Amino acid sequence: METNTSNKLRGVICPMVTPLDEHENIDETGVRKLVARLIDKGVDGIFLLGSMGEFPMIVEEEKERLIRIAVDEAKGRVPVMANVSAEGQRKTERMMQRALDAGADMIVLVPPYFYNVRDEREIKNYYISMSRNTDKPIVIYNIPVYTNNPIPPGMVIELSEEKNIVGIKADIFANLPLLRQLRGRDDFSILHGNEGTLDLALEIGVDGIIPGIASLAIDRCIDLYRKAREGDSHGASLRQLELQSIQEAFFGKKAIHWGTGHKYALSLLGLCKPYVSTTLLPLDEGQMKQIASALSEYRIS
């Protein structure tokens, strides 16, 4: 874990998978095991209910339960961030209140989705309104591949002036003007989420990384971050290439079984059950054997 003398988000933040049982309810034992393992290994923050956490598929009461359990297990040792986003503002406000009641340290928000906005001011007004509904820190989550509503860099710069909008998770290489304008600020964090360019993003000055494979390969993610911070670009690059190989081994080519493969590997480690809430096809016997073999090959424990 990186020493942090301010409240600024930095380091390695894990977008944790959501442990579920066969009825798609939260697997409490799995949540506690995963949170404990991540903290023991040195993670700097835990991000619940991101895309890796299957947030659109999970019902509100189970989301709240997940947050409550994770916060209880973390015991303030690292911040617990909760994505409360929904298709529209009223649903998001309701989920945000649930997350706050459950003890979330930070709120994460994607723009409203399904309907494409007709005027960019809709997005700006949404974030300003949500930020003024809470005193908790808010992190913008820009993932237009799923929302179809990209947040322009100039708007993020404007929103960064809101006192409790404290950072953004995005692919920084699709948003380079952000880095030029916001890098080095003490009150705003730039967090990179594209697993294929973690080393390069750190080299050009992002504050932290949010790798989708971190629930499983947290050791490698932390080592990559440390190497980059120490100026060991070659070492960070080698870790980057290894992480890409690890991700393909467990997620499959073109991430064909990203959720089922990830959770099956974690289940083999005794950390959570293999159930998902998405429509991903079940793993076949060959895929399961390959994943078991990859755990041994990459010495993941």
Side-chain angles (χ1 to χ4, degrees):
M1 183 185 300
E2 184 176 46
T3 302
N4 192 351
T5 56
S6 71
N7 292 322
K8 180 171 176 170
L9 273 174
R10 52 167 56 94
V12 180
I13 296 165
C14 176
M16 199 177 88
V17 304
T18 300
L20 300 169
D21 66 18
E22 62 272 28
H23 304 296
E24 297 186 18
N25 295 321
I26 297 302
D27 165 21
E28 178 172 353
T29 300
V31 175
R32 292 189 181 279
K33 285 182 176 181
L34 273 178
V35 170
R37 175 177 180 265
L38 290 166
I39 293 174
D40 287 347
K41 287 179 177 290
V43 79
D44 294 290
I46 293 172
F47 172 28
L48 302 177
L49 298 166
S51 50
M52 194 58 60
E54 305 170 81
F55 84 90
M57 311 294 186
I58 298 171
V59 297
E60 280 189 1
E61 54 267 32
E62 291 302 307
K63 290 180 180 179
E64 180 179 355
R65 187 162 166 257
L66 167 69
I67 298 164
R68 196 175 298 279
I69 295 166
V71 167
D72 181 68
E73 188 64 33
K75 295 180 173 58
R77 291 174 287 174
V78 298
V80 175
M81 306 159 60
N83 176 22
V84 301
S85 307
E87 300 90 332
Q89 186 160 336
R90 186 178 179 194
K91 290 172 72 174
T92 303
E93 287 172 344
R94 186 169 70 179
M95 188 60 227
M96 183 168 74
Q97 190 56 56
R98 282 179 175 266
L100 296 173
D101 291 344
D105 298 302
M106 295 185 175
I107 298 298
V108 180
L109 291 174
V110 305
Y113 51 90
F114 187 80
Y115 292 112
N116 290 357
V117 300
R118 302 305 194 266
D119 188 311
E120 290 176 351
R121 289 174 295 180
E122 297 172 42
I123 296 176
K124 181 179 177 182
N125 292 343
Y126 168 78
Y127 275 101
I128 290 174
S129 177
M130 293 300 296
S131 74
R132 293 176 185 176
N133 279 338
T134 179
D135 292 328
K136 289 287 186 180
I138 290 176
V139 174
I140 298 167
Y141 186 3
N142 190 18
I143 186 165
V145 66
Y146 292 130
T147 66
N148 293 315
N149 287 321
I151 309 171
M155 184 183 297
V156 176
I157 293 165
E158 289 182 55
L159 290 172
S160 74
E161 299 302 324
E162 293 290 309
K163 65 177 182 179
N164 62 328
I165 295 182
V166 300
I168 183 169
K169 176 188 185 290
D171 180 348
I172 196 57
F173 291 103
N175 296 271
L176 285 173
L178 290 180
L179 197 65
R180 190 172 292 116
Q181 295 290 323
L182 298 174
R183 180 171 54 186
R185 271 181 46 176
D186 292 332
D187 60 346
F188 195 85
S189 299
I190 301 172
L191 307 169
H192 182 65
N194 185 331
E195 294 92 344
T197 51
L198 301 171
D199 59 331
L200 298 177
L202 288 165
E203 190 169 334
I204 64 172
V206 300
D207 298 296
I209 53 174
I210 307 184
I213 193 65
S215 290
L216 184 64
I218 185 61
D219 308 75
R220 262 66 166 220
C221 296
I222 290 172
D223 190 56
L224 184 154
Y225 179 83
R226 287 176 178 163
K227 282 179 165 57
R229 282 289 178 257
E230 291 165 0
D232 181 4
S233 298
H234 179 66
S237 178
L238 291 177
R239 266 301 179 228
Q240 174 70 64
L241 294 172
E242 184 186 33
L243 276 170
Q244 288 174 233
S245 297
I246 289 171
Q247 184 156 314
E248 183 171 303
F250 294 102
F251 289 10
K253 291 187 182 298
K254 298 184 178 179
I256 192 170
H257 48 71
W258 63 269
T260 46
H262 202 169
K263 284 188 174 178
Y264 180 65
L266 291 166
S267 76
L268 293 178
L269 296 177
L271 293 168
C272 72
K273 297 174 182 178
Y275 303 108
V276 299
S277 61
T278 61
T279 56
L280 288 168
L281 296 175
L283 299 172
D284 61 36
E285 187 174 337
Q287 289 167 334
M288 289 189 285
K289 286 182 178 178
Q290 288 172 1
I291 288 169
S293 175
L295 281 176
S296 176
E297 177 184 351
Y298 291 107
R299 300 184 303 280
I300 295 174
S301 60

